[in-house]
Amino acid sequence: MSGTCGCSLDGDMYIFGGCDYSGQTNQIYCVSLTDSKYTWKKIIYKSGRAPSPRDKLSCWVYNGRLIYFGGYGHKLLADVDCRNRSFIIDEASWLTDIYWGWNNEVHTFDPMNASWRQPETHVRHLVFRAALPLPELPMPAAYLDVEATSAEVESWKPGGATFTAWTWNHGRGQKCMHVTERVPVSAGPEGRSWHTLTAVSDSSLFLFGGLRVDCKPMSDGWLLDVETKKWREVDHNFKNKPRLWHTACPCKDSDVIVFGGSCDYILRVDTGHCNDTLIFQMQPHPLFRICKDFIAKNVKKHEMLRSQLTLLPPSLLTAVQSRMYFYRPSNKQTN
């Protein structure tokens, strides 16, 4: 299965959608991350209407519900409503009364009641999307803001990527979404898909990699300040390691870890998946971490450090030993 989206809620991980040899699906599955059994179970919804089968969509968690947006999939012609433009047909892919295309629908799933719902959305213009990231930024109660760069062929703009703000409003009896496009005030990255966009602070997002409009894999990195709406290109040591369909996650001290993916446009050439890990430092590390790293890197080469290591307080010794394990020689270095 590829192109699924997953999120964690109350100790359970949920995955929805995706594509296998039989095509796209609209099934939702769940696995407990706390019972040590890790057994998947299929969820049968009790009310509402599930989204049409799709893959390459995005999701997030808010107020105990799973929220899904976008994706590429198929619908019956009878289910395509041309009036509200929630689905745009891919004219290159259709079969009798089944049509494939891109969605701009929003669906919510309530795990407590096993129910689907399609909330009302208020939007001036929202382009149909697939293969887009949706990092979550902290906001005041009753609001959720998510930024998304343009992520499919239909929304690539020569001037660069755009980003969109989502506000979930449930106050005063309202249950709706307001979506507005935010236009950057500076030059930014080219439009792309299959990239990652990772929150590295309360107001900063880090973009890496992706596939350009001419199907070229990208290796550039950009930092977006969502308050000033300005992009800044990030200098890094992985310019020779393009990535698409990879994963990225934030870790301590605002570092970003990238793993997996491909370095080729896999629909044309596939030389295999990447299994190396890229670590991006987004800000200067605190002095405590610098000291731990220095000891961990050099303890085996300096007798004085080795002899005094056991004199450290237990908690600090454990932290240093953990970093020593991180910096141990890999199999590639020893072979």
Side-chain angles (χ1 to χ4, degrees):
M1 186 75 72
S2 67
T4 62
C5 65
C7 52
S8 176
L9 174 64
D10 297 333
D12 294 330
M13 185 171 72
Y14 297 83
I15 64 169
F16 171 78
C19 182
D20 59 16
Y21 294 109
S22 301
Q24 286 91 3
T25 178
N26 63 350
Q27 303 298 321
I28 185 168
Y29 294 86
C30 169
V31 60
S32 173
L33 303 177
T34 59
D35 63 2
S36 301
K37 297 179 181 178
Y38 306 112
T39 302
W40 287 98
K41 64 178 180 179
K42 181 179 178 180
I43 298 178
I44 306 298
Y45 67 94
K46 299 177 181 178
S47 61
R49 186 177 182 181
S52 57
R54 60 193 66 186
D55 65 350
K56 297 188 288 292
L57 68 160
S58 291
C59 66
W60 68 95
V61 175
Y62 178 67
N63 200 28
R65 291 174 173 80
L66 314 178
I67 305 177
Y68 298 92
F69 168 71
Y72 181 88
H74 62 271
K75 288 188 176 185
L76 294 175
L77 180 60
D79 295 329
V80 178
D81 187 349
C82 297
R83 293 171 297 179
N84 64 15
R85 290 185 55 80
S86 63
F87 181 80
I88 183 170
I89 295 175
D90 181 0
E91 296 181 357
S93 299
W94 61 275
L95 178 66
T96 60
D97 61 343
I98 300 178
Y99 290 81
W100 279 261
W102 293 269
N103 296 274
N104 72 346
E105 303 166 340
V106 177
H107 295 267
T108 68
F109 182 76
D110 185 347
M112 292 294 293
N113 302 319
S115 61
W116 282 103
R117 181 176 173 272
Q118 188 170 359
E120 180 183 0
T121 57
H122 297 276
V123 57
R124 174 178 296 180
H125 176 67
L126 183 61
V127 182
F128 305 83
R129 300 169 187 258
L132 72 158
L134 280 171
E136 181 178 336
L137 295 178
M139 293 296 291
Y143 291 94
L144 175 71
D145 247 17
V146 180
E147 309 294 338
T149 61
S150 297
E152 71 298 331
V153 176
E154 284 66 30
S155 71
W156 268 322
K157 296 184 178 180
T162 63
F163 62 104
T164 306
W166 297 72
T167 302
W168 175 263
N169 186 352
H170 61 78
R172 297 181 180 179
Q174 297 179 348
K175 292 183 178 180
C176 57
M177 278 187 148
H178 297 271
V179 186
T180 56
E181 182 176 4
R182 295 185 180 180
V183 180
V185 297
S186 66
E190 300 176 70
R192 64 194 66 195
S193 66
W194 293 340
H195 54 294
T196 52
L197 192 65
T198 310
V200 294
S201 73
D202 290 354
S203 60
S204 299
L205 301 170
F206 175 64
L207 179 149
F208 176 68
L211 188 70
R212 205 168 63 181
V213 66
D214 59 358
C215 299
K216 176 185 176 182
M218 305 293 289
S219 62
D220 55 339
W222 292 79
L223 197 65
L224 171 67
D225 187 321
V226 298
E227 294 180 349
T228 63
K229 302 179 184 178
K230 291 183 178 180
W231 286 101
R232 175 175 63 85
E233 188 166 9
V234 176
D235 188 28
H236 60 81
N237 298 322
F238 307 114
K239 297 289 188 178
N240 62 337
K241 293 181 179 292
R243 288 290 186 275
L244 60 133
W245 266 10
H246 53 285
T247 59
C249 65
C251 59
K252 289 182 178 180
D253 304 321
S254 298
D255 286 356
V256 176
I257 297 179
V258 169
F259 178 75
S262 175
C263 60
D264 306 305
Y265 179 33
I266 60 175
L267 299 183
R268 292 183 179 176
V269 179
D270 188 5
T271 57
H273 294 91
C274 304
N275 66 351
D276 51 345
T277 301
L278 314 181
I279 302 178
F280 296 85
Q281 181 181 338
M282 306 308 302
Q283 65 181 26
H285 288 155
L287 180 60
F288 178 64
R289 175 168 174 177
I290 294 174
C291 293
K292 286 193 304 179
D293 287 355
F294 179 83
I295 296 174
K297 290 178 181 178
N298 297 283
V299 66
K300 290 188 176 181
K301 296 182 293 184
H302 294 82
E303 176 62 30
M304 181 179 296
L305 284 177
R306 288 199 303 272
S307 63
Q308 296 182 356
L309 191 63
T310 57
L311 302 178
L312 294 174
S315 59
L316 182 56
L317 177 60
T318 301
V320 170
Q321 289 174 334
S322 176
R323 297 304 291 170
M324 290 171 58
Y325 184 78
F326 176 81
Y327 285 112
R328 75 193 190 283
S330 65
N331 292 332
K332 290 182 179 181
Q333 292 175 321
T334 56
N335 290 342

